[in-house]
Structure formats: structure tokens, C-alpha cells
Amino acid sequence: NTLKRHGLIKVAELAGVSLSTVDRVLNDRGGVSDTKRRKVLAMARALGVRRGLPAPFTGPMIVDVLLADSATDHFKRLDAAFERQAQRLRSDLTLRRQRWPENAPGQLLDALRKPRSRRHGMIVVAPDTPDVHQALNTIVQNGTPTVLLTTNLSTVEGAVYVGIDNHAAGRSAGRLMSEWIGQRPGAVLLTVNSLAYSAHQERARGFIDVMTQRAPATRIVGPVECFDDDELTRAAVAQCLAVGPLAGLYDTGSGSQGIYAALAHRQVDPVWIGHEATPQHAELLRQGVMSLVLDQDPEGQVQASIDYLLHTHGMIDTPPLLPLAMKIIIEENLPGAL
């Protein structure tokens, strides 16, 4: 008992609270703020005071999920994965999902700065802007564990990025493109969603770096921002084709329907590299229109994001392995679900 009491006193000292507060927290009697509760539990865990510690807050863990309002297959997969996780963990976790219009970033800032009620964590897709950086830095500094999904904002200190290495993805596309186009005549077109997102900046930069090194004679057109809009993407491809032959095409976003429309009736299809393993892309791979797809596994992103927050709060022992592995999909290794 003396040893146990000494351990509790040490927890109280390190957490900066009274011994009675430590007792209330470890015996889950309530009446303690979530901030103090987390401090006590973190110190108790670090000192190995006892096993079977209570949850770091009363009630379910509340996580705000802020996603861009996009109809692309990538965001549909994210939505479906969050729904599955919400159902699976509904007694321990509340996912408050909100969509913000990409043409109205002020709504994202409002959601960041003015949560509907307390939150224990946040998962967000956000553009690379100074206002967003400032809002996220304030949230992290105030102690809210924050996951950046898809886009790695390196200036947001303390937030964790859950996703693939986008620069490596672009470099991979460049290496594969340079090998695949061989002696084909023509330019290589690079289309992106929006360069407001660091993910697309990194993919484009990695692609151009490797293509410049390995295929220096190939003219690269772009990056052309198409904002995941099929008509804008179709127009970009058509404009390139009007100038001369197209040897290759790398799309970092989701304009595949537009690309397919622009390539209709072509006698020789360019080498086409895109992103995300979707039913549409599976069919294009089977037809031989697309060459390969780089997949960032949105389902794995959601699982890793939630695991990170659960681990941060001491609710699971093992953190997720980051960054996530990128998958290269060709016709011969299409997932069975596709």
C-alpha cells in the first residue's frame, strides 16, 4: 500500500494536480476536467501505476471529420470507410462528419475555429493556405490531436499526416512513364486537381523531377489545374492533342471521364497513369486504355487516422505505421472487389 500510495503521489506531482484528483480519475468517479484527466492518465501510464486505466474522458470520444465536398470516387471511399468505422465503434467513438465546399473555404475555417461542442480529436482534409495553417496550429497548440488526411501541411507543428508519400508517388509515376513511353513521339500532359493542395504539388513536382532526369527530350505540358472537373480535363487533353501527338498523360486528380472522352476514336492511346483503384479505372485498365493506377488506400487512411487518435488517448497500445504504403495497380493485379 505504501508503494502504491508513493506511485499515486508521483502521478499527482508530475500531472500538477492533487492526490484526490488522481484518486477520482483512476477510480473513474468523474468531477474532473478532460484536460486534467488526460494528464493524470498519461502520467499513470508512463509510470506503470496500474493496468486497466479508464478512458481519458467521460462518454464517447468525439472526433470532428472535415472533408471537402467532392463527388469523386476517392471521397466516396472515404465516406463509406468512415461510416463503417462509426458503426463499428459507436459505443466508444462519435464521428461528427462535415463537408465544406471547395469554393467556400471560409466554411472550413468556421468549422475549424467554432466546433459545435467539445471535441477530442480532428481529422481534416484542408488546402495549403495561411489561414488554414493558422487555424490548425491554434487547434493543435490547444491540445486537440489532429490528423491531416491526404495533404501534408508541414508547417502545422504537432499534427500528424496520414497518407502516402505524395512526392514518391509522383516520382514513381515519372519513372514508370519514362520507361513506358520509350520512343513514342509527342508530349506528356500533366493534369492536377488544384495546386492549392500540397498533395498535388508534391505529385507534380516528383513527376517532373524524374521525367526531366530520365526523359529530358520529352516535352511536359502542365501542370494544368482541372479541379477534378471532367469537362476541364477533357478540354486540357483536347487542346494538347490539337497541337501534336500525345505520348503520355499523368493525372494526379479525378478527371478520368473527361480524359476518356477526349481520347475517344484515337488510333493510338497514350500511356495513361492515374490515381485511385475505382471500378471506373478497373474497367479502363481491362480495356487497355489506362496503363496503371497508383492507389493511396482511403480505407486504410481512415483506419490509421482513427487508430492514431485512439492511441494518442491511450485507448489502444499500438500506433499505426506511417506513412501508408502506396499500391501500384495494373490489369493483372486488380483487387477482386473491382
Side-chain angles (χ1 to χ4, degrees), residues 5-337:
R5 180 175 175 80
H6 177 75
L8 297 182
I9 291 172
K10 193 67 175 174
V11 169
E13 289 176 356
L14 292 175
V17 300
S18 66
L19 186 59
S20 62
T21 297
V22 172
D23 180 71
R24 294 188 71 83
V25 171
L26 296 186
N27 290 290
D28 207 11
R29 287 203 290 269
V32 181
S33 71
D34 280 351
T35 300
K36 288 183 178 179
R37 185 181 176 96
R38 284 198 295 270
K39 285 182 180 179
V40 169
L41 291 170
M43 290 304 105
R45 194 176 300 110
L47 295 171
V49 169
R50 77 178 200 193
R51 296 182 179 179
L53 293 171
F57 30 73
T58 55
M61 183 169 79
I62 299 171
V63 175
D64 280 342
V65 179
L66 307 178
L67 301 180
D69 190 11
S70 170
T72 63
D73 285 322
H74 174 67
F75 281 92
K76 288 177 183 176
R77 289 171 68 187
L78 285 175
D79 262 343
F82 275 119
E83 179 61 31
R84 284 193 294 273
Q85 293 296 327
Q87 292 300 319
R88 185 175 72 86
L89 299 168
R90 59 181 176 271
S91 60
D92 301 311
L93 177 69
T94 298
L95 293 175
R96 295 193 303 208
R97 284 174 287 168
Q98 295 175 255
R99 290 295 199 104
W100 58 272
E102 289 188 279
N103 61 356
Q107 292 188 30
L108 169 62
L109 291 171
D110 284 344
L112 290 172
R113 293 168 175 162
K114 303 171 186 175
R116 288 177 285 180
S117 64
R118 66 173 183 167
R119 59 187 170 202
H120 304 112
M122 190 170 65
I123 301 171
V124 60
V125 171
D128 192 357
T129 68
D131 286 344
V132 167
H133 286 223
Q134 183 180 36
L136 287 171
N137 272 310
T138 299
I139 289 166
V140 175
Q141 289 163 13
N142 287 340
T144 301
T146 299
V147 171
L148 302 174
L149 205 62
T150 302
T151 297
N152 184 11
L153 305 180
S154 57
T155 62
V156 182
E157 189 174 349
V160 66
Y161 166 64
V162 173
I164 63 171
D165 182 331
N166 285 295
H167 185 246
R171 288 184 62 84
S172 299
R175 176 62 184 268
L176 293 163
M177 180 68 75
S178 67
E179 298 283 351
W180 216 321
I181 60 174
Q183 300 303 312
R184 291 187 185 209
V188 169
L189 175 63
L190 169 59
T191 56
V192 302
N193 170 11
S194 168
L195 293 174
Y197 291 93
S198 66
H200 294 279
Q201 295 173 25
E202 291 168 10
R203 292 174 187 179
R205 180 166 55 88
F207 181 77
I208 292 171
D209 285 349
V210 173
M211 285 294 294
T212 301
Q213 176 188 1
R214 293 188 169 273
T218 301
R219 183 171 66 95
I220 299 174
V221 179
V224 181
E225 291 181 296
C226 296
F227 307 101
D228 286 343
D229 181 278
D230 285 326
E231 178 51 32
L232 289 177
T233 312
R234 185 205 63 76
V237 177
Q239 183 176 358
C240 195
L241 285 169
V243 175
L246 191 58
L249 194 156
Y250 174 40
D251 180 29
T252 73
S254 299
S256 299
Q257 191 59 41
I259 294 171
Y260 182 68
L263 295 179
H265 311 304
R266 296 293 302 169
Q267 301 226 338
V268 179
D269 289 321
V271 174
W272 175 6
I273 299 174
H275 278 261
E276 311 311 334
T278 65
Q280 178 193 38
H281 285 168
E283 182 57 31
L284 291 173
L285 286 170
R286 292 188 187 99
Q287 293 177 17
V289 180
M290 275 191 100
S291 306
L292 68 89
V293 168
L294 305 173
D295 188 59
Q296 61 184 316
D297 185 16
E299 295 79 9
Q301 286 182 284
V302 170
Q303 180 70 65
S305 298
I306 292 173
D307 285 351
Y308 168 79
L309 295 175
L310 292 172
H311 174 72
T312 298
H313 286 300
M315 298 173 72
I316 61 174
D317 294 330
T318 307
L321 185 61
L322 300 174
L324 300 182
M326 177 186 67
K327 300 176 182 177
I328 296 179
I329 307 295
I330 56 177
E331 180 185 3
E332 285 74 13
N333 71 344
L334 279 170

